[in-house]
Amino acid sequence: MSGAPRVPASLVGLVGFFAIWEVASRTDLVPGYYLRPPSVVLPTMVTLLGDPEFVRAVVATLAATLLALVIAVLIAVPAGLVLGSVPPVRRAVMTLVEFLRPIPSVALIPLALLTFGTGPDTKITLAVYGALWPILFNTMYALDEVDPLHVETARAFGTGRLGLLGRVALPSAAPFVLTGVRLSFAIALAVVISTELFSGGTIGLGQVVNVASGGGLNMDTVLAGTVLAGLIGYGANAGLELLHRKAFAWSQPKVGAE
Amino acid sequence: MNMLEVDGLGHTYKGKDGSHTAIDGLDFTVGAGELVCVVGPSGCGKSTLLRTIAGLIRPSRGTVSLHGNKVDGVPSDLAVVFQDYSRSLFPWLSVTRNVEFPLRTLSRTEREARAVEALAAVGLSTAGKKYPWQLSGGMQQRVAIARALAYRPSLLLMDEPFASVDAQTRFELEDLLLRIRREQDTTVLLVTHDIDESVYLGDRVLVLSKSPATVVAHLDVPLGPVRDQITTRASDDFVELRAKVAGLLQGAPVTVR
Amino acid sequence: MNRVTRTAQRWVVFAVAVGLWELVTQLAKAAEAEKSFFFPPPSEIALTAKDLWFSSAFGDHIVPGISRMLGGWALAGVIGIALGILLGRSRRAMAYLGAVFNFLRSIPPPLLVPFFVAAVGPTNMQFPTIVFGAIWPVLLNTVDGARGVDATKVETARVFRLSRAQWTFGVVLPSALPKVFAGLRLSLSIALILMVISELIGSANGIGNQLVRAQRDYEPTAMWAWIVLLGVLGYLFNTLLLVLERRALAWQPRHSLETQALATGG
């Protein structure tokens, strides 16, 4: 396209977004009392990031999210490989899976808190439960989509059953698995933050926002925390997409679920 | 009467890494009821030529006129059959609905009548309720042809219409086209890279040079309106003409007419 | 015979799992094991569920919760599809707005709850929270689908001089429909999650509200019953949407429908 703007258009868009937000909040188009302008929110965010207490909360949230993600991968990838490659097991287990998957993980928060208390293991367990499904389904889907011609080619060269799984199925499934991980990160983060928001007793970004929104109604901090969480989610997504492009240059990202 | 007049037509694509002239200084006409084949080497700009005539691309130089009116935007009485039938047909519409699709200005009964007639002409009377993916490639291209016919264009443009089907189907579709234009007196401009096809189908053959494409020869094809895949292709006229076209495409000295 | 084996395979593991669950929880209860109070046997959950679901709670809590969720989802769907079709056909619009949308989508939706509590009050915040959270998958998927109309279809449409309406509703929308449905499905599960979390944090009624009440009253069996209801609802709505999708996309070859459903966790 000729005449494309020299400044990246996405940057112009973001600046425009913040400008509209600023104007909307300054002109009381939306009462500025709760929609604080970005000129206040962004500096608040920077100030907060200098506060060790706040940083500890963010790190606690991130650590719980990442740990949950790792555990989910360790469970879901092997499970997906088995379910995807052994049809009888799949038929047998899928009914159970179909009953478990629709249960929203946030619905388990009150029960989990009542049963296991407000420690970090509660939110990690809940996040694992939420993050399992995209990885599991993407792995299974990937195995369904392995090109039969690739399998036949490998078999024609004398590759055995295990070799097929390791040298054909796994490499062709890997991009799909990574897509699942990308989706699961967002889910794990949301579940961890939900638990923190709801319980109030567990350290984390959600708790900070929860405390700020109660009583004193400190909207600067609420919005700063929300924007920061958005940036974390955005960064993780972009990072994983970059990883996808670097690691699987032969495949397009955005395969599988989006 | 000339249905189509092409005058000094040229087109240059401007891109970030310089410009590329696809066609240049093209002059030719197509008379009403004629079937003219344009043949040229791969990548010579045949598609650009077809798209400028269709009004899909605004040419950099020269003019295209359809029965005397200068083409500026897509004319209302023109239809195109594309090579890629699987993309040109709408997969969410049944065969009949695909054929009726461009006829929105007509009444319902009129639309249905045209679709029935056009599908009968291409031998697909019984396939109306099917979806495109349920048909073979050759049948899908028949649907695309039926859709173009139902539109009743003054000029039918065909862009490598039989390049994506197997050889057997290709012969069938070529004969189908010849029969239809005999019956319906359609004016056709067909672009192909296949020398045999251009001679077998055309009343005239326009030979283009390598890119930027210019017309290197107009050849009349004196094979008559009724042709046959076996006898026509074996006839002396056919063999001589195809050798001539092949020679022209390879840049042999030009001896026209 | 083959079909019988398959059906058996399908249900045997499930039946065994439920049986084991019953057995273990009953044993734990009899032995008065630690935490057994929080894990009632499924038979007890079923009885409690029957009482709770079909009590006055149905009209007071279940219906309001579901209408919020479906209403929010539907509004998000309408806005998302309309905007997506509009923006998806403009290369420039998405170049500018893509990053903004991706940022907004990346905000963990539960964090919207505190903001909307402040903005519209704790009794009204559920609906806007659901709409705001559920809009992005539909919007971005629709954009993706609308963008994907191939060049041949664009040219075909131009050659036949389609009207603006016929182009939008006859070509772009159907081309985008498979992606639109994938987005609608993701949005539906987000709407369910947001209904629950927004009702958990503060609401006068709803299923989440009942979950919190059961938590305060120290009634794990009731909590299980509500959790099961949420699972049933999630399953039910997803299945209904899939039926709708199969009808709307009946023109597609079967294989691509199934893989799509699987890929998006349908």
Side-chain angles (χ1 to χ4, degrees), chain A residues 196-218:
Chain A
E196 295 166 355
L197 265 179
F198 178 70
S199 78
T202 168
I203 299 171
L205 187 55
Q207 186 220 25
V208 171
V209 171
N210 188 33
V211 169
S213 73
L217 214 72
N218 183 353

Side-chain angles (χ1 to χ4, degrees), chain A residues 70-139:
Chain A
V70 169
I71 298 172
V73 168
L74 291 179
I75 298 172
V77 172
L81 287 179
V82 172
L83 292 186
S85 53
V86 191
V89 177
R90 178 167 177 168
R91 270 198 298 278
V93 179
M94 274 318 271
T95 317
L96 201 57
V97 170
E98 304 240 330
F99 270 85
L100 288 177
R101 190 174 54 91
I103 299 175
S105 39
V106 292
L108 301 172
I109 292 175
L111 183 69
L113 288 170
L114 195 65
T115 314
F116 303 112
T118 56
D121 42 341
T122 303
K123 59 184 175 189
I124 292 171
T125 311
L126 289 170
V128 168
Y129 180 82
L132 274 180
W133 310 113
I135 304 174
L136 180 72
F137 277 90
N138 268 281
T139 310

Side-chain angles (χ1 to χ4, degrees), chain C residues 14-94:
Chain C
F14 181 73
V16 170
V18 174
L20 268 179
W21 181 14
E22 178 79 29
L23 192 70
V24 170
T25 45
Q26 289 285 9
L27 285 177
K29 198 177 161 191
E32 291 179 19
E34 194 198 1
K35 305 264 190 206
S36 66
F37 174 66
F38 298 109
F39 296 96
S43 54
E44 274 180 36
I45 298 173
L47 286 175
T48 312
K50 198 191 77 187
D51 289 344
L52 279 178
W53 296 359
F54 304 105
S55 65
S56 60
F58 184 80
D60 294 346
H61 298 287
I62 300 177
V63 170
I66 292 177
S67 18
R68 246 175 228 142
M69 172 198 148
L70 290 182
W73 172 71
L75 186 61
V78 169
I79 301 174
I81 293 171
L83 265 184
I85 295 280
L86 210 67
L87 298 175
R89 289 310 304 168
S90 155
R91 250 190 293 181
R92 205 166 275 241
M94 278 317 280

